[in-house]
Amino acid sequence: MINNESEIPEKVEETLKNIREKNPLTHCITNRVTINDCANASLAIGGSPLMAEDVDELEEIVTIADALVINIGTLTKTQIESMKLAAKTATNTNTPIILDPVGVGVSKLRNDTTLYLIENNDIATIRGNISEIKAIAKLTGLIDENNTAKGVDVNIDDIITQENLAANGEIIKELAAKLDTTILASGPIDILSDGETTIAIDNGDDMMPLITGSGCMLSTIVGSCVGGSAPLEGSLVAILAMNIAGEKARAKVDANDEGTGSFRAYLIDYLYKTNAESLINESNIQIL
């Protein structure tokens, strides 16, 4: 629980310390396009990633894991079966589940899978872009907006700005309370809420969406961080680490006159070099 902005530095320092000491076993059923980057991101922040999907071992794996990350980016019928079994086991063992509802709102398959996982399991954190979060809000009856994601990317009409920050913050807060979970909506300005505390984070860089997997990496980092702490604090450290690493990576790319390929490598480098002092001093945080 975070009651005011003055508590954040201590919470950030304590949470990052716990993650690095615990080295949380982060079990991922994730996007096959980005699985290698997700594993490297988890390792860099201090987690121990394990990418297991076969139903014959899932119950054993989930039982020993500190967190389960489910990313629906490349859904197949076999993978959906694995996701359902893993989530059921995690709920029974009180293992925190992090759900990345990639492209929800685009197809019935993604909508049905997302709703099943939310309605039948205890989800610790839902991490998606604002179009995906609003799609869930619509599917669960909280709003009636007709917004459609651009494939797996955010709808331009949904982009979080200073002008619509308060309104989007209220939607995310209400949805987190309704679903009894923590929600992290990522974008140019990120919004994080557990239904009580709602935080806006204005960090990051516009090169981040130009590489495949930045969102998937973030969800995996959230898994590692929540596996070593509480959902709100872990999600906050995850988004700060990702965003500030992105800012530093962009600065190095520009200094060397490089592009997105180099940015991707530097992003992992700076995740590895994450420290509490940087997260505290370079963050731009506001409690809404």
Side-chain angles (χ1 to χ4, degrees):
M1 181 69 173
I2 298 174
N3 295 306
N4 55 67
E5 291 172 23
S6 65
E7 296 179 4
I8 290 176
E10 183 179 352
K11 292 284 189 181
V12 166
E13 184 173 9
E14 179 185 355
T15 300
L16 184 61
K17 181 175 181 288
N18 289 342
I19 294 160
R20 293 268 165 83
E21 289 181 351
K22 187 172 183 178
N23 186 222
L25 179 59
T26 310
H27 176 201
C28 304
I29 303 176
T30 190
N31 191 329
R32 293 190 176 108
V33 175
T34 61
I35 190 168
N36 184 63
D37 287 332
C38 290
N40 281 320
S42 174
L43 286 167
I45 200 66
S48 176
L50 195 162
M51 276 59 179
E53 292 189 17
D54 196 290
V55 293
D56 288 342
E57 67 170 354
L58 280 179
E59 291 176 286
E60 296 171 272
I61 298 297
V62 173
T63 300
I64 63 170
D66 294 301
L68 168 66
V69 179
I70 296 178
N71 177 313
I72 69 168
T74 50
L75 277 182
T76 64
K77 290 180 180 178
T78 301
Q79 195 182 58
I80 291 171
E81 181 183 0
S82 297
M83 290 174 176
K84 290 180 177 180
L85 176 60
K88 178 182 178 181
T89 305
T91 298
N92 291 338
T93 57
N94 295 315
T95 304
I97 303 169
I98 291 76
L99 175 62
D100 186 341
V102 179
V104 66
V106 171
S107 72
K108 185 176 185 301
L109 181 67
R110 292 175 189 271
N111 293 350
D112 290 348
T113 301
T114 299
L115 277 178
Y116 180 91
L117 292 169
I118 290 172
E119 291 173 351
N120 292 280
N121 302 283
D122 297 331
I123 308 296
T125 300
I126 300 172
R127 201 299 306 171
N129 66 45
I130 187 62
S131 291
E132 292 161 347
I133 299 305
K134 282 189 173 180
I136 293 173
K138 182 181 177 183
L139 290 169
T140 56
L142 184 65
I143 63 173
D144 58 7
E145 294 181 24
N146 289 313
N147 67 308
T148 303
K150 179 187 173 186
V152 299
D153 297 321
V154 68
N155 186 317
I156 192 168
D157 295 330
D158 291 331
I159 292 173
I160 302 171
T161 64
Q162 288 293 341
E163 288 70 29
N164 63 30
L165 180 60
N168 279 312
E170 191 60 30
I171 291 171
I172 291 163
K173 180 179 181 178
E174 289 181 15
L175 183 61
K178 179 182 178 71
L179 301 182
D180 190 23
T181 190
T182 296
I183 293 178
L184 174 57
S186 54
I189 303 174
D190 306 288
I191 302 175
L192 171 66
S193 182
D194 62 357
E196 295 184 11
T197 303
T198 303
I199 304 170
I201 304 101
D202 192 2
N203 288 95
D205 188 84
D206 58 11
M207 190 172 276
M208 295 173 75
L210 302 182
I211 62 167
T212 301
S214 58
C216 299
M217 283 188 273
L218 173 56
S219 294
T220 304
I221 294 168
V222 170
S224 294
C225 292
V226 171
S229 63
L232 183 70
E233 289 84 350
S235 298
L236 177 59
V237 166
I239 188 62
L240 288 176
M242 187 71 173
N243 282 353
I244 291 170
E247 291 174 355
K248 292 177 182 294
R250 177 60 181 270
K252 189 165 183 177
V253 162
D254 287 349
N256 295 336
D257 192 25
E258 296 169 322
T260 53
S262 299
F263 178 84
R264 177 172 166 267
Y266 295 146
L267 183 63
I268 299 291
D269 286 348
Y270 284 112
L271 282 171
Y272 175 77
K273 293 166 72 69
T274 294
N275 60 76
E277 182 180 5
S278 175
L279 297 188
I280 294 165
N281 293 337
E282 299 177 44
S283 64
N284 187 5
I285 294 174
Q286 169 188 0
I287 291 186
L288 300 178

